[in-house]
Structures are given as C-alpha cells and as structure tokens.
Amino acid sequence: MAKGLLTDEDIDTALAALEGWRREGDALLKDVPVTPDSHGWLTEAVMNEAAVLDHHPEIEHTSDGIRFRLSTHSAGGVTAKDVELAARIDHVLDGAAPDRG
C-alpha cells in the first residue's frame, strides 16, 4: 500500500461522516447543484481551502452544478488530506446556504 493511502474501511468511515460524498474508484466525489452564477465564487472558495492544505481538487462545471473530485495522485488514491478537504468543502457549502430564517 502506498504511503498515506486510507484503507477501504477508513474511507467508508470517513464517508459516513461526509454528507453527499461518494467513492468512485480512487477518489471521493460530490455533485453540488448550484446555478452557473455561483460557479465562480464557489470554485474560488474551495481553491482557497485547498491552498491551505496544499492540495489540488478537480473541479468540473456540469450542467447541474459543480462536481468535486478528490484524490491524492502522488499516493495513488484517497488519503487523509482528501477527507480533510472534503470536510472543508462541506463547511464552505454550509456557509453558502441561504438564510431561511
């Protein structure tokens, strides 16, 4: 096993705590339904979080929103850094939710 890779059990445990994330091959994925006018600021906010971790997520703009794909290429799969970035992305998304109060 490459250095830093999480086991399948570790990934399953992490996914249980990450709402809306799933595993696809050697990566964590999340599709976020947002309007095109939200793509720019959301991408920038996530990249700011990624920079703190010195990590580089794949961000794909889809017809329905944005897809985040997290994998540590140097390790060849999912590491703790991917799980941490997923949690940070969720935090950004939580802060972006409109106030319904």
Side-chain angles (χ1 to χ4, degrees):
M1 183 183 303
K3 183 175 186 245
L5 277 180
L6 297 180
T7 64
D8 288 343
E9 185 177 328
D10 291 337
I11 293 169
D12 290 344
T13 299
L15 286 173
L18 295 168
E19 188 176 337
W21 288 88
R22 68 186 188 280
R23 182 178 186 182
E24 187 173 286
D26 63 352
L28 302 180
L29 268 70
K30 183 170 188 167
D31 290 303
V32 181
V34 295
T35 57
D37 62 329
S38 297
H39 287 190
W41 72 262
L42 183 54
T43 298
E44 184 176 343
V46 167
M47 292 308 292
N48 288 340
E49 292 297 326
V52 170
L53 296 175
D54 190 28
H55 202 28
H56 309 285
E58 293 177 31
I59 301 175
E60 177 186 350
H61 295 200
T62 67
S63 59
D64 296 326
I66 294 181
R67 171 174 288 170
F68 298 105
R69 184 177 194 279
L70 310 179
S71 181
T72 303
H73 299 290
S74 60
V78 178
T79 67
K81 192 181 278 194
D82 300 302
V83 172
E84 172 67 16
L85 183 53
R88 286 176 178 247
I89 290 171
D90 284 348
H91 185 72
V92 167
L93 294 170
D94 287 346
D99 182 10
R100 295 182 175 89

